[in-house]
């Protein structure tokens, strides 16, 4: 999906796209790439979520895109501002890997699975159906989300290219 209308989404970042532009984020290990899409108005949104909850934030000014509980409402607001309707939105997500094996597996070391759980919980609160996901595993991903078609392209070294 090589496009001239590519909008990059960095780590702990979010953005929206319209008119066939493509959102892209790289470096999804334990992070989750969450996408929302309004198929009627062709409005797409992507958040690169690093952590499950802003309750653990140590910074004085919170980066809303960094945490699942703040990124998803912010993404929704931005999408609605350009014409998306919440009752039409569908979600897709990728990432949330357990990149390293730890003995004992304390909950604090399960960042990837906790990110996935948190994103699903918040999406469910907004009554947005999750159409597809490629989460878990122990490998990184790069994703591209097409605002014209709603297609999510997932690349990984281990599994190649997958479309959902």
């Amino acid at each position: 999906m090589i496009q001239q209308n590519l909008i990059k989404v960095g780590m702990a970042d979010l953005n929206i796209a319209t008119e066939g532009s493509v959102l892209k984020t790289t470096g999804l290990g334990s992070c989750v790439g969450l996408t929302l899409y309004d198929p009627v108005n062709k409005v797409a949104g992507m958040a690169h979520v690093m952590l499950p909850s802003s309750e653990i934030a140590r910074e004085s000014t919170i980066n809303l895109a960094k945490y699942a509980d703040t990124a998803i409402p912010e993404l929704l607001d931005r999408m609605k501002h350009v014409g998306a309707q919440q009752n039409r939105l569908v979600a897709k997500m990728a990432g949330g890997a357990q990149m390293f094996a730890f003995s004992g597996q304390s909950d604090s070391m399960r960042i990837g699975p906790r990110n996935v759980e948190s994103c699903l919980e918040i999406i469910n609160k907004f009554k947005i159906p999750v159409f597809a996901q490629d989460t878990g595993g122990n490998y990184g991903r790069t994703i591209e989300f097409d605002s014209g078609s709603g297609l999510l392209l997932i690349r990984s070294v281990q599994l190649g290219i997958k479309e959902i």
Side-chain angles (χ1 to χ4, degrees):
M1 222 190 285
I2 298 172
Q3 302 266 344
Q4 58 273 40
N5 299 357
L6 188 68
I7 300 169
K8 292 186 179 180
V9 177
M11 188 179 288
D13 189 14
L14 57 83
N15 214 329
I16 60 171
T18 59
E19 300 174 5
S21 293
V22 174
L23 293 159
K24 178 179 181 174
T25 195
T26 60
L28 290 174
S30 60
C31 297
V32 169
L34 175 88
T35 64
L36 298 176
Y37 187 61
D38 177 337
V40 175
N41 287 344
K42 308 267 190 230
V43 178
M46 178 186 287
H48 185 129
V49 175
M50 281 183 68
L51 294 167
S53 173
S54 60
E55 290 175 8
I56 62 173
R58 292 191 181 134
E59 60 267 32
S60 58
T61 304
I62 290 179
N63 172 358
L64 296 177
K66 187 174 184 177
Y67 306 95
D69 65 330
T70 54
I72 295 168
E74 177 67 17
L75 188 61
L76 272 170
D77 286 347
R78 290 189 191 187
M79 291 178 70
K80 288 183 202 174
H81 188 72
V82 295
Q85 291 193 15
Q86 186 171 329
N87 64 336
R88 290 196 299 241
L89 292 178
V90 294
K92 293 181 182 179
M93 54 196 275
Q98 182 66 40
M99 296 301 289
F100 306 101
F102 296 99
S103 60
Q105 289 290 29
S106 75
D107 201 47
S108 65
M109 301 314 281
R110 296 179 55 251
I111 301 295
R114 286 175 49 222
N115 280 340
V116 172
E117 292 160 13
S118 185
C119 286
L120 289 171
E121 182 181 308
I122 293 156
I123 287 296
N124 286 333
K125 282 183 185 173
F126 287 104
K127 299 184 178 5
I128 297 171
V130 177
F131 266 26
Q133 61 180 311
D134 180 40
T135 57
N138 62 354
Y139 55 91
R141 298 165 173 92
T142 292
I143 62 172
E144 295 180 19
F145 191 53
D146 187 325
S147 68
S149 67
L151 182 71
L152 181 62
L153 187 79
I154 304 156
R155 297 175 202 267
S156 66
V157 173
Q158 290 78 355
L159 301 177
I161 298 174
K162 179 179 189 179
E163 293 180 352
I164 60 175

